[in-house]
């Protein structure tokens, strides 16, 4: 029996947190065809639900994917149009972030169709429905798309990523005042940060962020070295995590509080 596409918990605030790349479940066909390196699931956004556990006191709604991005990438558009120039991965990835092949034989069209209909579509429908509910209740809705990635991946980008990488689709996915409010939080600690650098927001941020409709979206891509071991076995590092968790909490609290000041 296949697991459900995602876990969803409805909150009591205007905020919806999405975690589309934390899933580790595999369909039978994908599991059978992964290369040995790919079977380790190295491109997973490891441990984010644990890292974000303290933000539950803000009472957000949360949607957390169950399936690996190797089955279907929930942060890519259904038509699989590329979001970034240069090397990237698509709706149905064929390579690891290193550029190595994911599979030792091709995945069937039937598998892809199943993944799109049973995983991708329900996840996006739940986001759409929850944002509509939040807007109806509060007059506006806030989406925060949470991600993490290894800090150095030459196949995808040069050099080393900043610790905190905010994406707003070049300012089009939300009111610029919301991001401006986060900058003092970033400046008050030792973590490096950038807005709309290599990561400008994936499909979820770009598609659902509609500030003219009072739906505002922000992506945070976090360098994994700030809270975990970036290589196998991808261990969670509690001492490091404890240092970044108050920053995450402050960012999300500020996001919510500034929105309330602006929109109510």
């Amino acid at each position: 029996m296949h697991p459900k596409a995602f876990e969803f918990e409805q909150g009591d605030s205007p905020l919806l947190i999405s975690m589309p790349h934390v899933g580790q479940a595999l369909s039978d066909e994908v599991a059978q065809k992964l290369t040995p390196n790919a079977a380790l699931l190295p491109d997973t956004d490891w441990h984010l639900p644990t890292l974000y556990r303290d933000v539950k006191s803000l009472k957000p709604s949360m949607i957390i994917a169950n399936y690996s991005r190797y089955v279907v990438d929930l942060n890519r558009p259904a038509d699989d149009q590329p979001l970034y120039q240069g090397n990237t991965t698509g709706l149905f990835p064929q390579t690891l972030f290193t550029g190595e092949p994911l599979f030792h034989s091709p995945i069937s069209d039937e598998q892809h169709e199943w993944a799109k209909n049973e995983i991708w579509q329900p996840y996006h429908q739940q986001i759409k429905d929850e944002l509509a509910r939040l807007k109806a209740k509060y007059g506006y809705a806030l989406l925060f798309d949470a991600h993490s990635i290894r800090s150095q991946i030459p196949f995808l980008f040069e050099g080393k990523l900043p610790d905190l990488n905010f994406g707003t689709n070049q300012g089009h996915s939300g009111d610029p005042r919301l991001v401006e409010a986060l900058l003092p939080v970033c400046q008050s600690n030792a973590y490096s940060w950038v807005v709309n650098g290599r990561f400008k927001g994936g499909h979820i941020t770009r598609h659902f962020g509609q500030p003219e409709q009072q739906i505002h979206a922000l992506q945070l891509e976090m360098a994994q070295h700030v809270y975990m071991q970036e290589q196998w076995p991808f261990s969670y590092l509690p001492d490091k995590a404890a240092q970044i968790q108050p920053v995450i909490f402050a960012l999300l609290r500020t996001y919510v509080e500034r929105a309330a000041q602006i929109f109510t």
Side-chain angles (χ1 to χ4, degrees), residues 59-252:
K59 300 182 180 180
S61 297
M62 299 190 75
I63 181 168
I64 300 175
N66 281 327
Y67 277 89
S68 170
R69 67 191 302 161
Y70 298 161
V71 179
V72 61
D73 192 327
L74 296 169
N75 205 26
R76 299 294 184 269
D79 62 7
D80 205 17
Q81 290 298 306
L83 297 175
Y84 295 101
Q85 296 180 345
N87 293 330
T88 187
T89 55
L91 180 68
F92 300 111
Q94 300 300 308
T95 65
L96 295 166
F97 286 174
T98 59
E100 302 170 68
L102 263 175
F103 305 107
H104 55 68
S105 56
I107 300 297
S108 67
D109 291 340
E110 291 78 10
Q111 163 67 31
H112 286 165
E113 193 67 18
W114 174 83
K116 186 185 290 188
N117 292 336
E118 301 298 324
I119 304 172
W120 191 97
Q121 184 60 40
Y123 192 91
H124 285 254
Q125 187 64 51
Q126 183 66 66
I127 291 178
K128 179 180 179 181
D129 292 346
E130 182 61 7
L131 291 174
R133 186 190 74 84
L134 295 176
K135 181 184 173 183
K137 182 174 182 178
Y138 298 100
Y140 63 97
L142 305 174
L143 175 62
F144 187 90
D145 208 39
H147 297 262
S148 71
I149 192 169
R150 297 192 301 279
S151 57
Q152 297 185 71
I153 306 179
F155 180 70
L156 297 182
F157 51 82
E158 295 182 359
K160 186 176 183 179
L161 280 180
D163 300 326
L164 305 173
N165 301 266
F166 299 95
T168 67
N169 192 23
Q170 300 289 46
H172 298 298
S173 70
D175 190 305
R177 291 174 290 180
L178 296 175
V179 173
E180 290 170 5
L182 303 182
L183 300 188
V185 178
C186 296
Q187 293 162 352
S188 67
N189 60 72
Y191 295 102
S192 58
W193 56 275
V194 69
V195 178
N196 292 314
R198 170 59 177 82
F199 295 97
K200 298 173 174 62
H203 176 68
I204 290 172
T205 302
R206 302 183 196 200
H207 176 72
F208 289 106
Q210 301 176 32
E212 70 283 355
Q213 300 296 324
Q214 289 292 50
I215 298 176
H216 306 270
L218 171 67
Q219 176 177 299
L220 174 59
E221 188 84 59
M222 184 181 303
Q224 290 179 337
H225 71 90
V226 303
Y227 73 95
M228 61 168 278
Q229 183 179 334
E230 292 193 335
Q231 305 300 326
W232 175 260
F234 312 116
S235 300
Y236 187 72
L237 302 177
D239 290 345
K240 278 195 165 187
Q243 297 176 51
I244 191 66
Q245 283 174 317
V247 178
I248 296 170
F249 182 86
L251 288 167
L252 283 165

Side-chain angles (χ1 to χ4, degrees), residues 14-64:
L15 176 63
L16 170 63
I17 298 175
S18 163
M19 296 184 180
H21 289 156
V22 302
Q24 299 174 47
L26 301 169
S27 66
D28 292 341
E29 181 177 347
V30 168
Q32 291 166 5
K33 294 181 177 180
L34 286 175
T35 65
N37 283 342
L40 300 177
L41 308 183
D43 303 326
T44 302
D45 290 9
W46 297 100
H47 309 297
L48 285 190
T50 301
L51 188 68
Y52 277 70
R53 62 191 172 199
D54 291 347
V55 307
K56 288 192 174 184
S57 64
L58 298 173
K59 300 182 180 180
S61 297
M62 299 190 75
I63 181 168
I64 300 175

